Amino acid sequence: MKRKFFAALTLAATLLMTACGGGGGEEKPAATSETTLKIGATPVPHAEILEEIKPDLKEQGINLEIVEFNDYVQPNIALNDKELDANFFQHEPYLNDFIKEHKDVKLTNAGGVHIEPMGIYSKKIKDLAELADGAAVSIPNDPTNGGRALLLLQKAELLKLKDGVSETATVQDIAENPKNLVIQEVEAAQLPRTLEDVDISIINTNFAMNAELNPMNDALFIEDKTSPYVNIIAVRDGDENNENIKKLLAAIKSDKVKKFIEDKYKGAIVPAF
């Protein structure tokens, strides 16, 4: 009788443990799947802006991984080679020119985010009126940013370009050079380092800020807010319709990000949405 009682008691305990998830370990909730989105970006301001939306994308199941670059070539190569899902560092004229030069690259603009006004900087003069005859000037050596720099020099009335030239202008398109400026073409990322050697340098805002130059305070002359050079999110052809890319664009074009740009950069970076 005792044997039957203990057998029944053991069976009841086993059933109770099974019903409560015992005996085989506690039941765990099913793991939620998380997608990693790998974005290439230059450090300032692109990576800083992306950091702002990390928590927002996390709530949507997207882990945003930011890969920093300090040049204008590798982020497009890495994106085309599927090492990245998108990149954020360039404007569309640069992307279009890059695609023309690299026929195997199939990238496109997924959406514009902000404008980085290009500026003229110097460590030797405080005003462009002080610029001497034969002054040395460094500009970006890539075609679109080089042309953009020449257009800015023209707007500052330091030289005149041939009629009809656009952002693809080259030094060969200079029609009038009254101050006999000596133009030196340098890789964009290296331009801040040339300030010790040249009289003025035309520098992209991201590289200026990375060198602790404040475009609003330190630039002798700067593009205005009508600049057409909107920095974009670039993706591989067809991925602009990817749902995760759409979520990325929605997060980065939010009121939260607009306020962040306005508060942090105080006019040196201008939202384009």
Side-chain angles (χ1 to χ4, degrees):
M1 194 70 179
K2 286 183 180 179
R3 187 177 299 163
K4 289 181 180 179
F5 173 78
F6 284 119
L9 188 62
T10 300
L11 177 61
T14 301
L15 290 173
L16 181 62
M17 289 175 70
T18 302
C20 296
E26 292 184 4
E27 284 188 10
K28 297 179 181 178
T32 55
S33 59
E34 186 175 73
T35 301
T36 294
L37 205 57
K38 191 178 290 188
I39 313 296
T42 45
V44 181
H46 305 85
E48 292 178 343
I49 294 172
L50 289 170
E51 286 287 349
E52 274 300 295
I53 63 171
K54 263 189 173 182
D56 306 302
L57 291 175
K58 191 82 171 176
E59 290 178 1
Q60 300 178 63
I62 297 174
N63 173 44
L64 185 63
E65 184 178 335
I66 303 167
V67 182
E68 292 191 3
F69 292 85
N70 283 298
D71 72 283
Y72 282 174
V73 175
Q74 292 308 311
N76 279 337
I77 299 297
L79 176 57
N80 191 67
D81 291 347
K82 299 185 178 180
E83 296 171 13
L84 301 170
D85 299 300
N87 68 40
F88 179 35
F89 75 97
Q90 65 194 322
H91 50 65
E92 190 167 34
Y94 178 85
L95 175 61
N96 291 340
D97 187 74
F98 190 93
I99 291 169
K100 285 178 186 176
E101 289 188 2
H102 301 78
K103 302 298 183 185
D104 58 333
V105 168
K106 306 296 181 185
L107 306 180
T108 192
N109 174 8
V113 180
H114 70 270
I115 297 166
E116 298 178 12
M118 182 178 269
I120 301 176
Y121 298 85
S122 178
K123 286 192 174 181
K124 297 184 178 180
I125 61 172
K126 299 294 184 183
D127 192 293
L128 289 180
E130 301 171 19
L131 198 62
D133 188 76
V137 181
S138 58
I139 68 171
N141 67 355
D142 62 274
T144 49
N145 282 305
R148 180 183 180 185
L150 291 171
L151 288 171
L152 187 61
L153 287 169
Q154 177 173 256
K155 193 166 187 178
E157 300 182 349
L158 293 174
L159 53 74
K160 190 176 187 328
L161 299 171
K162 295 174 183 175
D163 291 339
V165 298
S166 62
E167 70 274 358
T168 57
T170 69
V171 291
Q172 282 72 42
D173 293 313
I174 297 174
E176 297 176 21
N177 186 3
K179 283 187 173 289
N180 299 304
L181 302 178
V182 179
I183 309 292
Q184 302 175 13
E185 297 175 279
V186 179
E187 185 183 349
Q190 302 304 317
L191 286 167
R193 296 183 182 181
T194 69
L195 285 170
E196 299 293 342
D197 304 311
V198 301
D199 296 286
I200 59 172
S201 181
I202 294 78
I203 307 176
N204 295 79
T205 288
N206 60 318
F207 291 128
M209 295 180 70
N210 210 32
E212 298 185 351
L213 293 167
N214 184 317
M216 301 310 292
N217 297 332
D218 299 325
L220 304 181
F221 193 83
I222 197 166
E223 289 175 331
D224 59 31
K225 296 181 181 182
T226 62
S227 169
Y229 297 92
V230 177
N231 278 225
I232 62 172
I233 299 288
V235 297
R236 288 183 294 277
D237 283 357
D239 282 355
E240 64 270 27
N241 297 315
N242 179 286
E243 284 304 313
N244 289 327
I245 296 298
K246 287 182 178 180
K247 289 177 182 178
L248 170 70
L249 263 295
I252 209 166
K253 290 186 173 188
S254 65
D255 289 340
K256 169 188 170 181
V257 170
K258 179 179 283 189
K259 186 176 187 307
F260 170 78
I261 292 173
E262 291 171 345
D263 290 350
K264 183 173 180 65
Y265 304 113
K266 302 186 186 305
I269 306 294
V270 182
F273 54 90

